[in-house]
Amino acid sequence: AWKKLREHPDFTDHVGPAYDAGKDFANDLSFQCVIQSDVIRVVLVMDVSGSMNGDRLVNMGSGVALYLDNLFDRVQSLGDQIEVGMIEFGSTADTLIEMTPLVTPEDLKRMKDAIPTRTTGSTCIGCGIDLAIDILNANGGSAAGGQIFVFTDGQENQSPRINDVRQTVLDNDAIIYGLLLISTSTDHDLIRLAKETGGSECIYDEN
């Protein structure tokens, strides 16, 4: 990589930005190569804290089920290779399904059956995101390019919080998608992190 850079006109013709002539670039530079995987890797991170009780939990479950159906349609119609992991979080985070290929109707059913149906505890969104990075990196995998969908009402009240795990997400080149079941504000750390990682957000107006 350094050989290619050295041959670029910005270096050979000295028209690039100023640099430290005493620095040993050939030995001091390091590069991280990220190769785009053919496999789409998705982690569904679901809020089961006490504030999600009632309609919010039902709406989240319906949205997750619909999204899984859409993923399976892509597998069937387009031949996409997709791996799905599922996590729930309240005061802590737990893995419901490790990264698993979505191939058969039985895979789809097992994932749908894992959608949470009860609430408990406080809201540690950072816990869920951090665990999502862990399962993407597990068993020789990589979180780079992994898509983390966070379903939550956004009312975090326990550490680690979103900003506490922000740098971990950025360092691992993961992409955050925020699906917020709130109608009070678009000023939220999850929305900012989604935009910063190249993801997007969707806000469900429960009113």
Side-chain angles (χ1 to χ4, degrees):
W2 170 237
K3 182 176 183 296
K4 290 295 184 184
L5 284 176
R6 258 191 330 199
E7 294 169 353
H8 193 277
D10 284 353
F11 289 88
T12 58
D13 299 335
H14 305 292
V15 296
Y19 64 93
D20 182 356
K23 186 173 179 62
D24 185 359
F25 285 100
N27 292 320
D28 291 347
L29 280 182
S30 62
F31 300 90
Q32 179 184 7
C33 297
V34 177
I35 300 174
Q36 182 65 45
S37 171
D38 291 333
V39 180
I40 300 168
R41 308 186 78 221
V42 175
V43 184
L44 306 178
V45 180
M46 295 165 283
D47 187 347
V48 297
S49 63
S51 59
M52 289 288 292
N53 192 41
D55 288 344
R56 289 181 179 179
L57 187 69
V58 172
N59 291 333
M60 180 184 71
S62 298
V64 171
L66 179 61
Y67 182 65
L68 287 169
D69 282 335
N70 290 338
L71 288 180
F72 190 64
D73 284 345
R74 291 180 60 175
V75 171
Q76 295 288 293
S77 61
L78 302 176
D80 285 348
Q81 299 180 59
I82 299 176
E83 292 182 0
V84 178
M86 298 177 68
I87 289 168
E88 67 176 13
F89 69 89
S91 300
T92 59
D94 295 295
T95 301
L96 301 173
I97 294 183
E98 299 281 356
M99 298 305 300
T100 302
L102 176 56
V103 179
T104 67
E106 290 74 24
D107 297 329
L108 177 62
K109 181 180 185 303
R110 186 164 75 90
M111 292 171 184
K112 283 186 169 183
D113 287 346
I115 296 173
T117 57
R118 54 96 181 103
T119 60
T120 183
S122 303
T123 309
C124 183
I125 300 176
C127 294
I129 294 174
D130 200 39
L131 184 55
I133 295 290
D134 286 346
I135 69 170
L136 282 166
N137 283 326
N139 301 315
S142 172
Q147 302 175 28
I148 301 174
F149 287 78
V150 183
F151 298 79
T152 179
D153 61 9
Q155 300 175 23
E156 59 180 343
N157 50 30
Q158 184 167 325
S159 296
R161 296 172 184 256
I162 295 166
N163 280 336
D164 296 328
V165 301
R166 169 184 169 274
Q167 195 59 50
T168 298
V169 174
L170 297 177
D171 289 345
N172 281 272
D173 295 315
I175 305 168
I176 299 291
Y177 294 86
L179 296 104
L180 288 153
L181 291 91
I182 57 174
S183 59
T184 55
S185 175
T186 58
D187 180 25
H188 197 280
D189 288 335
L190 185 59
I191 294 175
R192 281 186 282 273
L193 184 57
K195 291 178 178 178
E196 192 172 10
T197 59
S200 60
E201 79 284 344
C202 176
I203 299 176
Y204 174 79
D205 188 347
E206 59 189 356
N207 294 328

Coordinates of all heavy atoms in Angstrom, one line a residue, residues 53-106:
N53 N -43.4 -2.0 28.4 CA -44.6 -2.9 28.7 C -45.8 -2.4 27.9 O -46.0 -1.2 27.7 CB -44.9 -2.9 30.2 CG -45.9 -4.0 30.5 OD1 -45.8 -5.1 30.0 ND2 -46.8 -3.6 31.4
G54 N -46.7 -3.3 27.5 CA -47.9 -2.9 26.8 C -47.7 -2.8 25.3 O -47.1 -3.6 24.6
D55 N -48.3 -1.7 24.7 CA -48.4 -1.6 23.3 C -47.0 -1.5 22.7 O -46.7 -1.9 21.5 CB -49.2 -0.3 22.9 CG -50.7 -0.5 23.1 OD1 -51.1 -1.7 23.2 OD2 -51.4 0.5 23.2
R56 N -46.0 -0.8 23.4 CA -44.7 -0.7 22.8 C -44.0 -2.0 22.6 O -43.4 -2.2 21.5 CB -43.8 0.1 23.8 CG -44.2 1.6 23.8 CD -43.3 2.4 24.8 NE -43.6 3.8 24.8 CZ -43.1 4.7 25.6 NH1 -42.1 4.4 26.4 NH2 -43.4 6.0 25.5
L57 N -44.2 -3.0 23.5 CA -43.6 -4.3 23.3 C -44.3 -5.0 22.1 O -43.6 -5.7 21.3 CB -43.7 -5.1 24.6 CG -43.0 -6.5 24.6 CD1 -41.5 -6.3 24.5 CD2 -43.5 -7.3 25.8
V58 N -45.6 -4.9 22.1 CA -46.4 -5.5 21.0 C -46.0 -4.9 19.6 O -45.7 -5.7 18.7 CB -47.9 -5.3 21.2 CG1 -48.7 -5.8 20.0 CG2 -48.3 -6.1 22.4
N59 N -45.9 -3.6 19.6 CA -45.5 -3.0 18.3 C -44.1 -3.3 17.9 O -43.8 -3.6 16.7 CB -45.6 -1.4 18.4 CG -47.0 -1.0 18.6 OD1 -47.9 -1.6 18.1 ND2 -47.2 0.2 19.2
M60 N -43.2 -3.4 18.9 CA -41.8 -3.8 18.6 C -41.8 -5.3 18.0 O -41.1 -5.6 17.0 CB -40.9 -3.8 19.8 CG -39.5 -4.2 19.5 SD -38.4 -4.2 21.0 CE -39.1 -5.6 21.9
G61 N -42.5 -6.2 18.7 CA -42.5 -7.5 18.2 C -43.1 -7.7 16.8 O -42.6 -8.5 16.0
S62 N -44.1 -6.9 16.5 CA -44.7 -7.0 15.2 C -43.7 -6.5 14.1 O -43.6 -7.0 13.0 CB -46.0 -6.1 15.1 OG -47.0 -6.6 16.0
G63 N -43.0 -5.4 14.5 CA -42.0 -4.8 13.6 C -40.8 -5.8 13.3 O -40.4 -5.9 12.2
V64 N -40.4 -6.4 14.4 CA -39.3 -7.4 14.3 C -39.7 -8.6 13.4 O -39.0 -9.0 12.5 CB -38.8 -7.9 15.6 CG1 -37.8 -9.0 15.5 CG2 -38.1 -6.7 16.4
A65 N -40.9 -9.1 13.6 CA -41.4 -10.2 12.9 C -41.5 -9.9 11.4 O -41.1 -10.7 10.5 CB -42.8 -10.7 13.4
L66 N -42.0 -8.7 11.1 CA -42.1 -8.2 9.7 C -40.8 -8.1 9.1 O -40.6 -8.5 7.9 CB -42.9 -6.9 9.7 CG -43.1 -6.3 8.3 CD1 -43.9 -7.2 7.4 CD2 -43.8 -4.9 8.4
Y67 N -39.8 -7.6 9.8 CA -38.5 -7.4 9.3 C -37.8 -8.8 9.0 O -37.2 -9.0 7.9 CB -37.6 -6.6 10.2 CG -36.2 -6.4 9.7 CD1 -36.0 -5.6 8.6 CD2 -35.1 -7.0 10.3 CE1 -34.7 -5.4 8.1 CE2 -33.8 -6.8 9.8 CZ -33.7 -6.0 8.7 OH -32.4 -5.8 8.2
L68 N -38.0 -9.7 9.8 CA -37.5 -11.1 9.6 C -38.2 -11.7 8.4 O -37.5 -12.4 7.6 CB -37.8 -12.0 10.8 CG -36.9 -11.7 12.0 CD1 -37.4 -12.5 13.3 CD2 -35.4 -12.1 11.8
D69 N -39.5 -11.5 8.2 CA -40.1 -11.9 7.0 C -39.5 -11.3 5.7 O -39.3 -12.0 4.7 CB -41.6 -11.6 7.0 CG -42.4 -12.5 7.9 OD1 -42.0 -13.7 8.1 OD2 -43.5 -12.1 8.4
N70 N -39.2 -10.0 5.8 CA -38.6 -9.4 4.6 C -37.2 -9.9 4.3 O -36.8 -10.1 3.2 CB -38.5 -7.9 4.9 CG -39.9 -7.2 4.9 OD1 -40.8 -7.7 4.3 ND2 -40.0 -6.0 5.5
L71 N -36.4 -10.2 5.4 CA -35.1 -10.8 5.2 C -35.2 -12.2 4.5 O -34.5 -12.5 3.6 CB -34.4 -10.9 6.5 CG -33.9 -9.7 7.2 CD1 -33.2 -10.0 8.5 CD2 -32.9 -8.9 6.3
F72 N -36.2 -13.0 5.0 CA -36.4 -14.3 4.4 C -36.8 -14.2 3.0 O -36.4 -15.0 2.1 CB -37.4 -15.1 5.2 CG -37.4 -16.5 4.9 CD1 -36.3 -17.4 5.0 CD2 -38.6 -17.1 4.3 CE1 -36.4 -18.7 4.7 CE2 -38.6 -18.4 4.0 CZ -37.5 -19.2 4.2
D73 N -37.6 -13.2 2.6 CA -38.1 -13.0 1.2 C -36.8 -12.7 0.4 O -36.8 -13.2 -0.8 CB -39.0 -11.8 1.1 CG -40.4 -12.2 1.6 OD1 -40.7 -13.4 1.8 OD2 -41.2 -11.3 1.9
R74 N -35.9 -12.0 0.9 CA -34.7 -11.7 0.1 C -33.9 -13.0 -0.1 O -33.3 -13.2 -1.2 CB -33.8 -10.7 0.9 CG -34.4 -9.3 0.9 CD -33.5 -8.3 1.6 NE -32.2 -8.1 1.0 CZ -31.3 -7.3 1.4 NH1 -31.6 -6.5 2.5 NH2 -30.1 -7.2 0.8
V75 N -33.8 -13.8 0.9 CA -33.1 -15.1 0.8 C -33.8 -15.9 -0.3 O -33.1 -16.5 -1.2 CB -33.1 -15.9 2.1 CG1 -32.6 -17.3 1.9 CG2 -32.3 -15.1 3.2
Q76 N -35.1 -16.0 -0.3 CA -35.8 -16.8 -1.2 C -35.8 -16.3 -2.6 O -35.7 -17.0 -3.6 CB -37.3 -17.0 -0.7 CG -37.4 -17.7 0.6 CD -37.1 -19.2 0.4 OE1 -37.9 -19.9 -0.2 NE2 -36.0 -19.7 1.0
S77 N -36.0 -15.0 -2.8 CA -36.2 -14.4 -4.1 C -34.9 -13.9 -4.8 O -34.8 -14.0 -6.0 CB -37.2 -13.2 -4.0 OG -36.7 -12.2 -3.2
L78 N -34.0 -13.5 -3.9 CA -32.7 -12.9 -4.5 C -31.5 -13.8 -4.2 O -30.4 -13.5 -4.8 CB -32.5 -11.5 -3.9 CG -33.6 -10.5 -4.1 CD1 -33.2 -9.2 -3.4 CD2 -33.8 -10.2 -5.6
G79 N -31.7 -14.8 -3.4 CA -30.5 -15.6 -3.1 C -29.5 -15.0 -2.2 O -28.4 -15.4 -2.1
D80 N -29.9 -14.0 -1.4 CA -29.0 -13.3 -0.5 C -28.6 -14.3 0.6 O -29.4 -15.1 1.0 CB -29.7 -12.1 0.1 CG -29.7 -10.9 -0.8 OD1 -29.1 -11.0 -1.9 OD2 -30.4 -9.9 -0.5
Q81 N -27.3 -14.1 1.0 CA -26.9 -14.9 2.2 C -27.0 -13.9 3.4 O -26.3 -12.9 3.4 CB -25.4 -15.3 2.0 CG -25.2 -16.2 0.8 CD -23.7 -16.7 0.7 OE1 -23.2 -17.2 1.6 NE2 -23.2 -16.3 -0.4
I82 N -27.7 -14.3 4.4 CA -28.0 -13.5 5.5 C -27.8 -14.2 6.8 O -28.3 -15.4 7.0 CB -29.5 -12.9 5.5 CG1 -29.7 -12.1 4.2 CG2 -29.8 -12.1 6.7 CD1 -31.1 -11.6 4.0
E83 N -27.1 -13.6 7.8 CA -27.0 -14.2 9.1 C -27.7 -13.2 10.1 O -27.6 -12.0 9.9 CB -25.5 -14.3 9.5 CG -24.8 -15.4 8.7 CD -23.3 -15.5 9.2 OE1 -22.9 -14.8 10.1 OE2 -22.6 -16.3 8.6
V84 N -28.4 -13.8 11.0 CA -29.1 -13.0 12.0 C -28.7 -13.4 13.4 O -28.7 -14.5 13.7 CB -30.7 -13.1 11.8 CG1 -31.4 -12.3 12.9 CG2 -31.1 -12.7 10.4
G85 N -28.5 -12.4 14.3 CA -28.4 -12.6 15.7 C -29.5 -11.8 16.4 O -30.0 -10.8 15.9
M86 N -29.9 -12.2 17.6 CA -30.9 -11.5 18.3 C -30.5 -11.3 19.8 O -30.0 -12.3 20.4 CB -32.3 -12.3 18.2 CG -32.7 -12.4 16.8 SD -34.3 -13.4 16.6 CE -35.5 -12.4 17.4
I87 N -30.8 -10.1 20.3 CA -30.4 -9.7 21.7 C -31.6 -9.0 22.3 O -32.3 -8.2 21.7 CB -29.2 -8.8 21.6 CG1 -27.9 -9.6 21.2 CG2 -28.9 -8.1 23.0 CD1 -26.7 -8.7 20.9
E88 N -31.8 -9.3 23.6 CA -32.7 -8.4 24.4 C -31.9 -7.7 25.5 O -30.9 -8.2 25.9 CB -33.8 -9.3 25.0 CG -33.4 -10.3 26.0 CD -34.5 -11.0 26.7 OE1 -35.6 -11.0 26.2 OE2 -34.3 -11.7 27.7
F89 N -32.4 -6.6 25.8 CA -31.7 -5.8 26.9 C -32.8 -5.1 27.8 O -33.8 -4.6 27.4 CB -30.7 -4.8 26.4 CG -31.3 -3.6 25.7 CD1 -31.7 -2.5 26.4 CD2 -31.5 -3.7 24.3 CE1 -32.3 -1.4 25.7 CE2 -32.1 -2.6 23.7 CZ -32.5 -1.5 24.4
G90 N -32.5 -5.2 29.1 CA -33.2 -4.4 30.1 C -32.1 -3.7 31.0 O -31.4 -2.9 30.5
S91 N -31.9 -4.2 32.2 CA -30.8 -3.8 33.0 C -29.5 -4.3 32.5 O -28.4 -3.7 32.7 CB -31.0 -4.2 34.5 OG -32.3 -3.7 35.0
T92 N -29.5 -5.5 31.9 CA -28.4 -6.1 31.3 C -28.8 -6.6 29.9 O -30.0 -6.5 29.5 CB -27.9 -7.3 32.1 OG1 -28.9 -8.3 32.2 CG2 -27.4 -6.9 33.5
A93 N -27.9 -7.2 29.1 CA -28.2 -7.7 27.8 C -28.0 -9.2 27.8 O -27.0 -9.7 28.4 CB -27.4 -7.0 26.7
D94 N -28.8 -9.9 27.0 CA -28.7 -11.3 26.9 C -28.8 -11.7 25.4 O -29.7 -11.1 24.7 CB -29.7 -12.1 27.7 CG -29.6 -11.8 29.2 OD1 -28.6 -12.3 29.7 OD2 -30.5 -11.2 29.8
T95 N -28.1 -12.7 25.0 CA -28.2 -13.2 23.6 C -29.3 -14.2 23.5 O -29.3 -15.2 24.2 CB -26.8 -13.9 23.2 OG1 -25.8 -12.9 23.3 CG2 -26.9 -14.4 21.8
L96 N -30.2 -13.9 22.6 CA -31.3 -14.9 22.3 C -30.9 -15.9 21.3 O -31.3 -17.0 21.4 CB -32.6 -14.1 21.9 CG -33.1 -13.1 22.9 CD1 -34.2 -12.2 22.3 CD2 -33.5 -13.7 24.2
I97 N -30.3 -15.4 20.2 CA -29.8 -16.2 19.1 C -28.4 -15.7 18.7 O -28.3 -14.5 18.4 CB -30.8 -16.2 17.9 CG1 -32.1 -16.9 18.3 CG2 -30.2 -16.9 16.7 CD1 -33.1 -17.0 17.2
E98 N -27.4 -16.6 18.7 CA -26.1 -16.2 18.1 C -26.3 -16.0 16.6 O -27.3 -16.3 16.0 CB -25.1 -17.3 18.4 CG -24.9 -17.6 19.9 CD -24.0 -16.6 20.6 OE1 -23.4 -15.7 19.9 OE2 -23.8 -16.7 21.8
M99 N -25.2 -15.5 16.0 CA -25.2 -15.2 14.6 C -25.5 -16.6 13.9 O -24.8 -17.5 14.0 CB -23.9 -14.7 14.1 CG -23.6 -13.3 14.7 SD -24.9 -12.0 14.4 CE -25.0 -11.9 12.7
T100 N -26.7 -16.6 13.1 CA -27.2 -17.8 12.5 C -27.6 -17.6 11.1 O -28.3 -16.6 10.8 CB -28.4 -18.3 13.4 OG1 -28.0 -18.6 14.7 CG2 -28.9 -19.6 12.8
P101 N -27.2 -18.4 10.2 CA -27.7 -18.3 8.8 C -29.2 -18.4 8.7 O -29.8 -19.3 9.3 CB -27.0 -19.4 8.0 CG -25.8 -19.7 8.8 CD -26.2 -19.5 10.3
L102 N -29.9 -17.5 8.0 CA -31.3 -17.6 7.8 C -31.5 -18.2 6.4 O -31.3 -17.6 5.4 CB -31.9 -16.2 7.8 CG -33.4 -16.0 7.4 CD1 -34.3 -16.9 8.4 CD2 -33.8 -14.6 7.5
V103 N -31.9 -19.5 6.4 CA -31.9 -20.3 5.2 C -33.3 -20.9 5.0 O -33.8 -20.9 3.9 CB -30.8 -21.4 5.2 CG1 -30.9 -22.2 3.9 CG2 -29.4 -20.8 5.4
T104 N -33.8 -21.6 6.0 CA -35.0 -22.4 5.9 C -36.2 -21.7 6.6 O -36.0 -20.9 7.5 CB -34.8 -23.8 6.4 OG1 -34.6 -23.7 7.8 CG2 -33.5 -24.4 5.8
P105 N -37.4 -22.2 6.3 CA -38.6 -21.7 7.1 C -38.4 -22.0 8.6 O -38.9 -21.3 9.4 CB -39.7 -22.5 6.5 CG -39.3 -22.8 5.1 CD -37.8 -23.0 5.1
E106 N -37.7 -23.1 8.9 CA -37.5 -23.5 10.3 C -36.6 -22.5 11.0 O -36.8 -22.1 12.2 CB -36.9 -24.9 10.4 CG -37.8 -26.0 10.0 CD -38.1 -26.1 8.5 OE1 -37.2 -25.6 7.7 OE2 -39.1 -26.7 8.1

